[in-house]
Structure formats: C-alpha cells, structure tokens
Amino acid sequence: MRNTGREHMRTLLLFLIGCAALPARGESLPQRYADYGELIVTQLTSAPFPHPKRAEGHKYQGQLYSAQEHYSDKTVAIFIPKGFRETGQVDFVVHFHGWKNNVEGVLKQYRLIEQLSESGRNAVLVVPQGPLNAPDSFGGKLEDADGFKRFMADVAETLRQKSALKKKDFALGQIVLAGHSGGYEVISAIVDHGGLTELVREVWLFDALYAQTDKFLAWVDRHLGRFIDIYTEHGGTKAETEQLMAKLKQRGTAFFAGKEGEAKPVDLQTNKLVFLYTDLPHNDVVHQRQEFREFLKTSCFGKLE
C-alpha cells in the first residue's frame, strides 16, 4: 500500500508541475508580454484590410482565400518597451509579416517584443495584420497613396488615448520599416508614395528582396537611409540581391557585403547599404541569431532609460 501511495503522490506532483508550466488559460497577448512593457492590441480603420482589391478575396494556385476569412482583420499590435524614455517625439519600428501568418503568430515565432526589449532601443514596435494566414504580399490600404501616413496618424492617436505615456503631444519621430518575405511589397509602396518618406530612416528586408528593387534604390538615393538586405540561398531572393549589388558596383556606389554571422556591429553602423548572406533557412532569418535585435542595436534609435 505504501508503494501505491507513493506512486499516486508522484503522479499528482508531476501533474501539478506540468500545470504550472502551462500558460494561464485565457491569457491575453498584453498579459503575455506584460513583463517586457505595454502591449496594445487594437483595431484601426487605416489598417491594411479590408481593401477594395480584395473585396472578392484572392485566388492562389487554384484556391480561393475569401475576403471575410483572410482580408477583414484590422488588428494592429503596438508595443512600448519597459523603460521607454519620453522625449517629445516617438520613434517607431514597423514590421510587416510574410505569407500565411498573423499578428499573434509573428510575435511568438519571431520574438519581436523580446528582441526589441533586449536591444535596449528607445522605440515603439508596430505590427499590422496583413493578409491573414494567406499566401499574398499585398499590403492593402498601406499601398495606397498616403496610406502609411494615415495609418501612423491612427497609431499615434491610439498611443495618446490608450497608452500609459505621459506626454500626449508627441510628434512622430524616426521610422524603421522591417519586413520578412512577402513584406517587401508594402514597404516598397510606403517608401515610394506612403506619405511619410522623409521620416523613414531605415529599411530592413529579411529574405524579402523579390521585386520592386528600383523603388528601394530610389529611396536610398533620395534619403541616404540605411538599407539592410539579408538573403538566403534558397529563399528566392539571391538573384535579385546579386543583381542589385552588381548595379551598385557598376555605378560606383559603396556597400558592405558579407556573411551574416561574420558581420561586426561596426559594419552595420558605418555602412548605409548592407547585404548579408546567411546559411539560415528562410523562416529563421528574423530571430534564429537575434538578427532583429542586432539591427536594432546598430540603428538610428536612442537608448532606453
């Protein structure tokens, strides 16, 4: 009987330990990231979708992705890191996800909030919902003329109304645009005609230079912002990246090119055009080696308190 009792107690103990390791049932996204700062999950009318061009959904390889299921979500996540220093203007890093993803999945899979917090940079993270779990690069309203300007005005107003920030009369500061995979398309539209081009200081493409290269190059030439392109062997971006580097070399434009694991912080800080070849798979380039964090640490943003 003693052995049976011991087994029972052991089973109960293991069960309790297992329960303790599980996230609390019904835990919201803001609660999940509360230790890192303040996360606001909201719905904005200026968010990418819905959009008239996807009113009938989108067909890809014979499969229809309906408007109701994939192009009606207005979710936008806005994160203010703990220790955020209020200066009268707010800097932003806006991240655009790739195909077949969603805001919650992006935050979890790529550890964007954790990487921002670990970077120690004084910036607010914004993640808008693109095509919801759909194979589509279209950026909806953020591809419209001045669409990004309207979107960021709504983001700023949300911060004034819903955040714990004390200074409500802040101005929009420096903006970094980051995108993984299909996120390139909306970023190219933003730097071309989004309405806030003068505030965009940096563009980071995580295995995402598939097309629209002339728009990125025009932005670089006009604003001399930092452009980082990390690319893989089999992600579909290598040829376009190599063509861009060849064009830059032909016209005598300086750039840094090297292996992602060997690039030093000074290489990222002192070069405006950075091309990093990585041996990582396509879906690992944002987080596997803390790439998002390292780009933040060498960015235009100031430090947290």
Side-chain angles (χ1 to χ4, degrees):
M1 292 294 293
R2 280 200 304 267
N3 289 339
T4 302
R6 286 177 183 169
E7 286 300 317
H8 176 73
M9 290 300 296
R10 180 173 178 271
T11 301
L12 179 61
L13 181 60
L14 290 173
F15 173 76
L16 292 173
I17 292 173
C19 288
L22 294 173
R25 293 184 63 183
E27 181 185 44
S28 67
L29 275 181
Q31 290 171 332
R32 184 183 305 173
Y33 294 104
D35 289 343
Y36 295 96
E38 181 183 9
L39 175 61
I40 300 168
V41 180
T42 188
Q43 308 287 308
L44 298 182
T45 56
S46 59
F49 297 100
H51 190 276
K53 289 187 178 180
R54 291 293 184 267
E56 303 300 323
H58 175 63
K59 185 172 285 188
Y60 180 75
Q61 294 186 342
Q63 181 175 344
L64 177 65
Y65 293 82
S66 70
Q68 181 177 358
E69 187 175 354
H70 299 279
Y71 298 97
S72 61
D73 194 323
K74 303 176 184 177
T75 298
V76 178
I78 306 170
F79 174 75
I80 308 167
K82 189 172 291 186
F84 184 79
R85 180 167 42 84
E86 298 190 49
T87 64
Q89 74 171 31
V90 176
D91 294 339
F92 295 91
V93 51
V94 186
H95 183 80
F96 299 94
H97 66 76
W99 287 18
K100 296 183 178 180
N101 220 325
N102 56 77
V103 169
E104 182 173 1
V106 168
L107 292 178
K108 180 179 180 181
Q109 181 178 359
Y110 300 123
R111 301 185 69 254
L112 298 180
I113 286 176
E114 293 90 337
Q115 290 194 72
L116 172 59
S117 297
E118 291 166 8
S119 76
R121 296 300 105 177
N122 198 57
V124 170
L125 171 68
V126 180
V127 183
Q129 179 61 59
L132 179 65
N133 301 325
D136 190 0
S137 301
F138 182 50
K141 290 193 283 289
L142 297 193
E143 290 199 30
D144 296 342
D146 288 337
F148 185 64
K149 182 177 183 179
R150 291 187 288 271
F151 173 73
M152 290 305 298
D154 281 353
V155 168
E157 188 60 27
T158 299
L159 287 175
R160 294 185 182 103
Q161 293 183 6
K162 298 184 178 181
S163 78
L165 293 180
K166 296 177 181 178
K167 295 182 179 180
K168 305 299 184 181
D169 58 345
F170 63 82
L172 294 179
Q174 302 177 108
I175 297 174
V176 169
L177 303 176
H180 175 236
S181 192
Y184 79 95
E185 182 175 319
V186 64
I187 296 178
S188 72
I190 290 170
V191 298
D192 186 62
H193 54 260
L196 289 177
T197 312
E198 71 281 0
L199 296 182
V200 177
R201 297 288 185 262
E202 305 187 21
V203 169
W204 310 339
L205 299 183
F206 292 91
D207 210 18
L209 188 62
Y210 292 100
Q212 306 294 342
T213 305
D214 288 346
K215 291 181 181 178
F216 292 119
L217 191 53
W219 169 78
V220 168
D221 289 341
R222 287 195 308 269
H223 299 282
L224 299 177
R226 185 172 72 155
F227 179 82
I228 301 180
D229 171 19
I230 181 170
Y231 64 103
T232 66
E233 183 70 30
H234 303 294
T237 62
K238 185 180 179 183
E240 190 72 15
T241 295
E242 290 176 342
Q243 288 175 16
L244 175 55
M245 287 191 289
K247 184 174 183 177
L248 291 169
K249 187 174 182 179
Q250 184 178 29
R251 72 179 202 176
T253 302
F255 61 88
F256 174 86
K259 293 183 179 179
E260 169 251 340
E262 298 175 0
K264 299 178 176 62
V266 66
D267 297 322
L268 301 180
Q269 288 173 324
T270 59
N271 291 279
K272 289 295 185 180
L273 296 171
V274 179
F275 299 91
L276 301 174
Y277 172 80
T278 179
D279 58 357
L280 291 171
H282 176 72
N283 283 328
D284 288 353
V285 296
V286 180
H287 68 292
Q288 189 62 43
R289 295 182 183 136
Q290 306 295 310
E291 293 84 357
F292 190 71
R293 181 190 70 185
E294 294 309 302
F295 294 172
L296 280 163
K297 289 171 72 173
T298 58
S299 70
C300 58
F301 298 138
K303 294 183 179 181
L304 294 168
E305 288 182 341

